[in-house]
Amino acid sequence: MSTSDGRRPFIVGLGGTVRPSSSSERALKKALEAAEALGATTQLFDGPFLAGLPIYNPSDPACEGANGFLAAVAACDGVIVSSPGYHGSISGLVKNALDTLEGLREDRRPYFDGRAVGLIVAAEGWQATASTLAALRGIVHAMRGWPTPLGATLNSAGGLFDEADAFKDTRDAWQVNMVAQQVVDFANRWPN
């Protein structure tokens, strides 16, 4: 499929932690792979990248080091955000990345305007997944985005992945694939 103007949809993924191969980052990579299988092109802004962003400064919304990130989100047709659930909400790393998008306030399509935003939360326990997903949905609404109907909540208490880097539970794989599908489907239908 392609967007209304005939292009392959461009989906940006952002999330993860500073810990290499974190559950939330691995789940995000699986979502981007699913989006690519549906015909999208993707770009990943993972934990190490996000850790290199300076702390958001409202006096300098287009802060040094964020230009490529801002340009990618400005150009994209959809976004997938993946956060760990830390103490019942999103991580500071993911929140700082979302705050950095204030640099798009004056863009032709500010923030997430006109874009579907798929959400993935990985946490050790269902309570943290639910409250973190609710926090992300609120942020996406405030940033003029369309949270996908399904948000993936992944309980990482028993480990999400096997030795072959596949989801242990087919329900987790289904959720992540469905989030990707909903973002790509919306991107293909929405005139950007």
Side-chain angles (χ1 to χ4, degrees):
M1 290 185 78
S2 59
T3 60
S4 61
D5 60 1
R7 295 177 297 106
R8 290 177 62 189
F10 174 42
I11 309 301
V12 166
L14 69 98
T17 72
V18 294
R19 184 171 47 87
S21 298
S22 68
S23 296
S24 58
E25 187 172 306
R26 289 166 77 183
L28 176 60
K29 288 177 180 177
K30 295 288 187 191
L32 293 178
E33 289 171 10
E36 289 172 0
L38 293 166
T41 58
T42 66
Q43 186 169 357
L44 171 67
F45 293 95
D46 59 8
F49 173 84
L50 299 180
L53 286 175
I55 297 297
Y56 170 68
N57 176 355
S59 299
D60 183 19
C63 57
E64 183 91 19
N67 294 335
F69 175 56
L70 293 172
V73 175
C76 78
D77 301 298
V79 179
I80 301 174
V81 179
S82 183
S83 179
Y86 286 169
H87 308 111
S89 194
I90 67 174
S91 69
L93 190 70
V94 171
K95 180 66 166 80
N96 185 58
L98 293 170
D99 289 345
T100 298
L101 296 177
E102 182 65 18
L104 298 178
R105 177 172 56 182
E106 303 298 326
D107 196 67
R108 176 180 66 85
R109 293 185 306 155
Y111 311 116
F112 294 137
D113 186 53
R115 298 171 184 93
V117 182
L119 303 173
I120 301 169
V121 177
E124 289 196 25
W126 293 117
Q127 182 175 353
T129 63
S131 58
T132 303
L133 181 61
L136 278 171
R137 285 185 184 280
I139 291 167
V140 170
H141 278 292
M143 296 178 75
R144 305 180 192 175
W146 298 80
T148 56
L150 180 71
T153 54
L154 311 174
N155 186 340
S156 61
L160 294 175
F161 300 94
D162 63 20
E163 300 77 32
D165 201 39
F167 280 107
K168 290 180 180 179
D169 189 328
T170 57
R171 290 174 296 189
D172 293 339
W174 178 86
Q175 287 186 81
V176 168
N177 288 337
M178 183 57 69
V179 165
Q181 181 178 334
Q182 289 178 349
V183 171
V184 172
D185 285 351
F186 187 90
N188 284 328
R189 289 174 173 79
W190 189 266
N192 290 318

